[in-house]
């Protein structure tokens, strides 16, 4: 019965999507990411990170959380104090959708200013079933810089509008998302 629900989800998603389907042939980008010829429901997630941070510290000025497999204990961090815990949970949920084999997810992270590469790499590694760097699902090796990442960082502001972008009450990012 659960398998029928998964099939129904995929059927509904494919019915709503574009009639043009991806090239799933051997050697295609799709094959490199997912390693099989199965079609998947393609979903684009937009994560608005305006105001993401701890007090006056912007999230991107801190270090990403340690991986769960790390031997170091994870410090307790209140979810009210940091957005990293929320971001990690959201990325894990998206990855679990990809792990079903029915969803091909891409994540656009909307930011006000360029962010350090360590955060981009961390987000990429959180999505192994979506084609992220630590994926055993995709072909090729992890050093391949040509590999398509499931994460795209979108800088929505420029030097003149960055302050307004960081102001959560300005409505800047919401307006940019509608543009």
């Amino acid at each position: 019965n659960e398998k029928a629900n998964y099939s129904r989800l995929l059927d509904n998603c494919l019915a709503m999507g574009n009639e043009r389907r991806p090239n799933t042939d051997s050697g295609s980008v799709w094959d490199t990411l997912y390693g099989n010829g199965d079609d998947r429901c393609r979903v684009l997630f937009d994560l608005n990170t305006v105001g993401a941070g701890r007090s006056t510290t912007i999230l991107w000025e801190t270090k990403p959380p340690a991986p769960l497999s790390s031997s170091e204990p994870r410090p307790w961090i209140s979810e009210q104090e940091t957005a990293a815990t929320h971001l990690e949970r959201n990325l894990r949920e998206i990855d679990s959708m990809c792990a079903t084999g029915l969803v091909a997810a891409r994540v656009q992270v909307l930011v006000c200013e360029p962010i350090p590469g360590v955060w981009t790499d961390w987000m990429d590694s959180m999505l192994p079933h979506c084609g992220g760097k630590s994926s055993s699902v995709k072909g090729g090796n992890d050093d391949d810089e040509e590999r398509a990442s499931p994460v795209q960082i979108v800088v929505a502001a420029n030097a003149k509008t960055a302050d307004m972008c960081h102001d959560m009450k300005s409505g800047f990012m919401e307006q940019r998302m509608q543009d």
Side-chain angles (χ1 to χ4, degrees):
N1 189 27
E2 190 170 329
K3 179 108 172 131
N5 287 339
Y6 280 131
S7 275
R8 188 168 151 229
L9 170 72
L10 181 60
D11 292 341
N12 288 341
C13 180
L14 294 176
M16 292 187 316
N18 192 323
E19 291 178 14
R20 190 166 163 244
R21 304 311 304 161
N23 175 5
T24 59
D25 296 338
S26 179
S28 67
V29 172
W30 192 268
D31 181 60
T32 301
L33 288 171
Y34 303 110
N36 62 33
D38 296 338
D39 201 354
R40 295 179 179 212
C41 178
R42 294 177 284 178
V43 180
L44 174 65
F45 293 90
D46 281 323
L47 300 180
N48 181 350
T49 64
V50 170
R54 223 183 330 204
S55 302
T56 59
T57 303
I58 297 173
L59 174 65
W60 317 119
E61 295 172 351
T62 64
K63 289 174 40 179
L68 287 177
S69 59
S70 173
S71 59
E72 299 175 20
R74 295 182 86 175
W76 181 84
I77 298 174
S78 166
E79 290 187 275
Q80 290 75 24
E81 292 179 1
T82 182
T85 309
H86 291 292
L87 180 59
E88 181 179 20
R89 184 175 53 232
N90 288 335
L91 292 172
R92 287 193 184 283
E93 288 174 2
I94 292 168
D95 188 60
S96 68
M97 289 182 219
C98 290
T100 66
L102 302 175
V103 173
R106 292 291 173 255
V107 180
Q108 283 186 337
V109 181
L110 307 175
V111 297
C112 294
E113 300 176 57
I115 65 173
V118 67
W119 275 98
T120 307
D121 292 345
W122 176 79
M123 288 184 269
D124 188 70
S125 73
M126 296 298 295
L127 300 167
H129 295 97
C130 301
K133 193 175 228 176
S134 65
S135 177
S136 60
V137 179
K138 65 167 184 59
N141 68 43
D142 288 339
D143 296 328
D144 186 4
E145 289 298 320
E146 298 299 316
R147 176 188 56 83
S149 173
V151 177
Q152 179 186 20
I153 305 301
V154 179
V155 180
N158 59 39
K160 292 180 182 177
T161 59
D163 286 340
M164 189 182 343
C165 181
H166 286 293
D167 180 2
M168 293 184 352
K169 295 180 181 177
S170 73
F172 178 85
M173 192 63 81
E174 290 76 10
Q175 182 62 44
R176 290 294 307 209
M177 288 174 70
Q178 292 174 9
D179 288 347

